[in-house]
Amino acid sequence: MKRGYVAQDAGSIRRMFSQIAARYDLANACLSGGLDGWWRLYVARLLACWQPRNILDLATGSGALAATLRRTLPGAQLVGADFCAPLLARSRRRGLENLVVADALALPFRDAVFDAVTVAFGLRNMASYDEALLEMRRVLAPEGHVVILDFSLPQGPLLPLYRLYLHHVLPRLAGWLTGVPEAYTYLAESIEQFPRGRRMLQLLERTGFVDAGFRPLSGGIVSVYAARRGKTVTG
């Protein structure tokens, strides 16, 4: 991946998510075979190991991860931020509060204010991975943690079958569920391009995180990355 890789312009991504907001959760559950709930629970339990007092759920979307975090860490102060207002409206229906419409590349928060930042299936859609991670690092307190959940690609004999599903089955099924098949054509393309495994660890280290590690889930369909804020940003 090139430094500062540009995924797609923010306006196009915002419009796309606005179009699918009403059926976003239904599509996610169907397309993942219901595994998406277990993936989010894994993230919440990992975060619970550090007992953060203040959490920013970035690209919170419809609030699915934020709701899981609230149940798992009821004593933590939770803020959800997303640049798509229609998706945040779905978060409010879950009873979530402290929701902010915000650009991940220019967060409206002070330095070092959160103990943890989570982002589920959102970093992949941001215009610059480097800039987004630098902003996450900026708002993290010293020794704070970032946890990223996103799609990856399985290895071995499962890979060609998964690519067949990703590029041919998923867009048709999602198009039928949401009425916006082009959004899921974009999804497949973005998954192929998104850094995964050691490339993601290198990206985290480059943007000032340390002790970075990852765990593939569900055969590598998704991966969870976790790291701690370091003292310096590497060149």
Side-chain angles (χ1 to χ4, degrees):
M1 186 196 76
K2 296 180 180 179
R3 182 184 288 259
Y5 164 78
V6 176
Q8 188 166 325
D9 72 277
S12 297
I13 298 294
R14 186 183 294 109
R15 286 191 295 273
M16 182 179 68
F17 279 104
S18 296
Q19 288 177 310
I20 64 175
R23 294 201 167 188
Y24 181 75
D25 289 326
L26 173 63
N28 286 348
C30 291
L31 296 172
S32 71
L35 290 172
D36 59 320
W38 180 76
W39 298 334
R40 288 190 291 269
L41 183 59
Y42 180 92
V43 169
R45 288 175 174 172
L46 176 61
L47 208 66
C49 296
W50 300 306
Q51 289 297 306
R53 295 167 298 174
N54 300 288
I55 304 169
L56 171 62
D57 184 39
L58 191 56
T60 197
S62 64
L65 177 57
T68 304
L69 292 171
R70 184 178 60 181
R71 289 192 298 271
T72 308
L73 292 154
Q77 294 294 314
L78 179 65
V79 176
D82 200 286
F83 75 160
C84 182
L87 275 176
L88 283 183
R90 310 294 296 183
S91 292
R92 292 188 183 91
R93 294 186 184 183
R94 296 179 186 271
L96 295 168
E97 301 175 349
N98 299 324
L99 300 173
V100 179
V101 178
D103 182 348
L105 275 60
L107 294 172
F109 306 113
R110 302 190 313 275
D111 294 357
V113 70
F114 295 104
D115 298 316
V117 174
T118 57
V119 54
F121 308 111
L123 179 59
R124 180 172 33 82
N125 300 313
M126 295 174 189
S128 169
Y129 306 147
D130 290 76
E131 291 179 35
L133 286 167
L134 286 169
E135 271 294 270
M136 294 180 212
R137 181 186 178 279
R138 179 184 67 79
V139 302
L140 272 173
E143 304 300 312
H145 291 85
V146 63
V147 180
I148 299 164
L149 167 65
D150 218 310
F151 290 108
S152 51
L153 292 174
Q155 301 300 307
L158 184 58
L159 180 58
L161 292 174
Y162 181 70
R163 279 187 163 138
L164 178 67
Y165 171 76
L166 187 64
H167 292 281
H168 301 285
V169 178
L170 184 147
R172 290 182 174 87
L173 179 57
W176 176 74
L177 287 169
T178 66
V180 190
E182 59 270 23
Y184 293 87
T185 300
Y186 159 78
L187 171 65
E189 294 169 351
S190 69
I191 291 171
E192 291 277 8
Q193 295 171 342
F194 191 60
R196 54 189 177 272
R198 299 207 174 276
R199 288 173 60 206
M200 176 59 74
L201 300 186
Q202 291 169 356
L203 176 57
L204 285 163
E205 291 166 1
R206 186 170 77 217
T207 50
F209 292 94
V210 297
D211 299 334
F214 76 101
R215 180 176 177 181
L217 301 178
S218 302
I221 293 173
V222 301
S223 292
V224 176
Y225 303 87
R228 180 170 55 84
R229 176 185 168 174
K231 294 181 180 179
T232 60
V233 178
T234 59

